[in-house]
Amino acid sequence: MKTLLRRRDFLKLGTIGVAISSVTIANRGRLFAQPAEAGSGLIVRTETPYNAEPPLERLVEKWLTPTSAFFERSHGKVPILNDNDFAVTVDGMVDRPLELKLPELTERFPVSSLTATLTCAGNRRTEFNRIKKVPGVQWESGAIGNAEWQGVRLSDVLKMAGITSGAKHIWFEGLDQITDKGETFPFGGSIPLEKAMSDTESIPGCLLAMQMNGKPLSAGHGFPLRTIVPGFIGARSVKWLSKITISDRPSANHYLAHAYKLISEDTHAAVEAADPIYEYILNSIICTKGPTPLVPGSRVTIKGVAISGGRSGERLNRVEISVDGGDTWLPTTITSPVRDFCWIHWSAEISLTAKTESILVRATGSSGESQPRETPWNVKGYQYNGWHKVDLTPA
Ligand SMILES: Nc1nc2c(c(=O)[nH]1)N[C@H]1C(S)=C(S)[C@@H](COP(=O)(O)O)O[C@H]1N2
Ligand SMILES: [Mo]
């Protein structure tokens, strides 16, 4: 692994003013934010670390979720960073290790925008509790949001560093410090190189984002830099990003190597044998609260969101609702833009009868598979995507 850029290489890079020498100095002096301010409008699930989700109605107000209505999920305290001495390093299997200060990123690389839905793998976790209690942040269905992100393409940065042959995975590491079972370590993970380089003209394979919805990232969402990996679970979009390492294997960070895996029993062997979760799963959520009380004969408009699975090329085929417990299904109408790696908003008008007890939703993907009635239980409560239900309260 080359660690220092030789002077000759430095000159070859010309105006690309990058040198890796002060990694230990940059990004020092972190402060950590106090637990969230009250009155954010989000439902706080845990205060320290701060984990909060919006009431579901807020998800269907706008296709682009305002930052104030966007869930926050952090495993440790939120680091408060100074962008003046912030730098991100690129090392590992590269010809030229880099250290890039924040302004250098936008000076050296074209700026791209990406609209993408971010969702936590633990979204809807509470629904597993019906089968068997799961530990972890007790998310209902609001740990999802669709934002416009702005930054530079990871693939451009990797090309500048020059990836050496045999490289297969891109590791990310944040500047937070998580304490778990007596150990303190940063949040991190990795994505396959193939994903990192899978850019299309309009969609980066992975974005190094500085902005969310036209403003610098807030501290809670990763200021000053994070990755956005469209189609992948939120955990792969690493906040407070300070280190990118190119390797021939997946990251050994806890959040890639152990957490975020689908296991049915909590044993070391099961964790080792399971693959990390990368793509998020086909899903849909009803965001309108059930009309209370139920008025037979009345017509109501039901609204919600839906996402296809996050694998490239997966699309939504249809979103349907049921008012008879899933015996018959009615079509819904798409009321939003339809874009790769973004949720859609859907809506349906239904007539309530005295017999209507609940409303269900399910989506079907382009490969023909539909959401299941129930998702099989897993130890950590990830990727729940059973039919989402809203109960109506009889008059
Ligand atoms: N450094 C760091 N990055 C992180 C996390 C974290 O705890 N630390 N949480 C991850 C998880 S699990 C999710 S779902 C998303 C949430 O992003 P948001 O808080 O901007 O909504 O950030 C991811 N990136
Ligand atoms: Mo997450």
Side-chain angles (χ1 to χ4, degrees):
M1 189 193 294
K2 291 180 191 152
T3 49
L4 277 176
L5 196 65
R6 285 166 304 159
R7 181 157 170 76
R8 225 183 27 211
D9 294 333
F10 190 82
L11 293 176
K12 259 195 272 166
L13 287 171
T15 55
I16 303 153
V18 287
I20 190 159
S21 55
S22 57
V23 194
T24 49
I25 296 168
N27 304 332
R28 244 209 225 151
R30 268 164 273 169
L31 293 167
F32 291 95
Q34 293 306 308
E37 333 75 69
S40 66
L42 298 183
I43 305 161
V44 178
R45 296 290 172 212
T46 64
E47 274 190 19
T48 314
Y50 183 59
N51 288 297
E53 64 183 306
L56 294 183
E57 308 87 86
R58 297 224 52 199
L59 298 182
V60 282
E61 282 169 6
K62 295 214 162 74
W63 183 66
L64 284 175
T65 314
T67 306
S68 61
F70 208 97
F71 79 100
E72 270 187 53
R73 199 287 177 251
S74 296
H75 292 75
K77 286 187 186 164
V78 168
I80 304 296
L81 302 172
N82 179 343
D83 49 341
N84 287 324
D85 53 39
F86 180 87
V88 59
T89 60
V90 184
D91 64 13
M93 297 174 73
V94 292
D95 294 326
R96 293 172 292 277
L98 308 173
E99 185 186 34
L100 295 157
K101 293 210 155 232
L102 211 55
E104 286 172 325
L105 281 171
T106 44
E107 281 161 20
R108 307 298 176 213
F109 305 99
V111 170
S112 295
S113 281
L114 161 70
T115 305
T117 295
L118 203 66
T119 183
C120 184
N123 196 29
R124 304 186 63 191
R125 175 174 285 137
T126 46
E127 293 177 67
F128 281 115
N129 294 336
R130 291 193 299 249
I131 309 167
K132 190 172 149 195
K133 178 92 182 129
V134 276
V137 180
Q138 295 296 301
W139 297 114
E140 291 188 6
S141 316
I144 184 168
N146 187 51
E148 196 194 352
W149 312 91
Q150 208 172 58
V152 302
R153 289 168 183 250
L154 173 64
S155 60
D156 285 343
V157 174
L158 295 180
K159 281 179 209 151
M160 179 171 290
I163 293 179
T164 58
S165 71
K168 291 203 183 79
H169 296 268
I170 312 296
W171 302 9
F172 305 128
E173 202 175 279
L175 282 168
D176 43 352
Q177 296 185 332
I178 298 141
T179 304
D180 189 32
K181 299 189 181 96
E183 274 184 74
T184 300
F185 51 91
F187 187 90
S190 60
I191 61 170
L193 174 64
E194 206 182 18
K195 175 68 177 175
M197 305 305 276
S198 65
D199 301 57
T200 65
E201 206 176 306
S202 57
I203 303 176
C206 173
L207 191 72
L208 303 182
M210 284 147 252
Q211 297 212 332
M212 175 182 188
N213 293 329
K215 296 225 173 77
L217 293 169
S218 65
H221 289 295
F223 179 84
L225 190 70
R226 74 178 302 169
T227 61
I228 293 293
V229 189
F232 278 24
I233 57 166
R236 307 301 169 225
S237 291
V238 175
K239 304 191 278 191
W240 315 293
L241 177 73
S242 73
K243 192 165 153 58
I244 300 170
T245 303
I246 294 82
S247 177
D248 58 357
R249 65 201 67 171
S251 162
N253 186 283
H254 172 70
Y255 295 99
L256 193 287
H258 310 299
Y260 295 105
K261 288 185 167 185
L262 293 174
I263 46 171
S264 50
E265 47 163 8
D266 197 4
T267 62
H268 182 71
V271 171
E272 291 296 312
D275 289 327
I277 305 171
Y278 291 113
E279 286 91 359
Y280 54 65
I281 201 169
L282 174 75
N283 222 326
S284 58
I285 301 156
I286 297 167
C287 298
T288 313
K289 274 203 213 131
T292 321
L294 185 162
V295 185
S298 66
R299 280 182 81 70
V300 292
T301 304
I302 304 294
K303 292 182 185 177
V305 302
I307 48 172
S308 69
R311 206 171 291 276
S312 177
E314 274 185 54
R315 307 260 146 76
L316 283 169
N317 183 322
R318 58 184 189 275
V319 179
E320 299 159 299
I321 59 171
S322 174
V323 290
D324 57 11
D327 290 342
T328 58
W329 293 87
L330 309 162
T332 67
T333 309
I334 296 172
T335 58
S336 71
V338 178
R339 294 234 218 118
D340 286 357
F341 305 119
C342 291
W343 69 16
I344 58 142
H345 278 176
W346 54 264
S347 131
E349 258 206 37
I350 53 166
S351 296
L352 301 176
T353 71
K355 281 203 220 129
T356 318
E357 288 172 1
S358 65
I359 303 165
L360 291 165
V361 66
R362 72 167 188 202
T364 301
S366 47
S367 54
E369 92 289 2
S370 288
Q371 288 174 239
R373 180 186 286 269
E374 282 280 8
T375 303
W377 190 87
N378 66 83
V379 171
K380 300 194 173 174
Y382 294 135
Q383 305 265 62
Y384 191 90
N385 78 336
W387 300 344
H388 189 238
K389 182 167 136 189
V390 163
D391 287 317
L392 303 185
T393 317

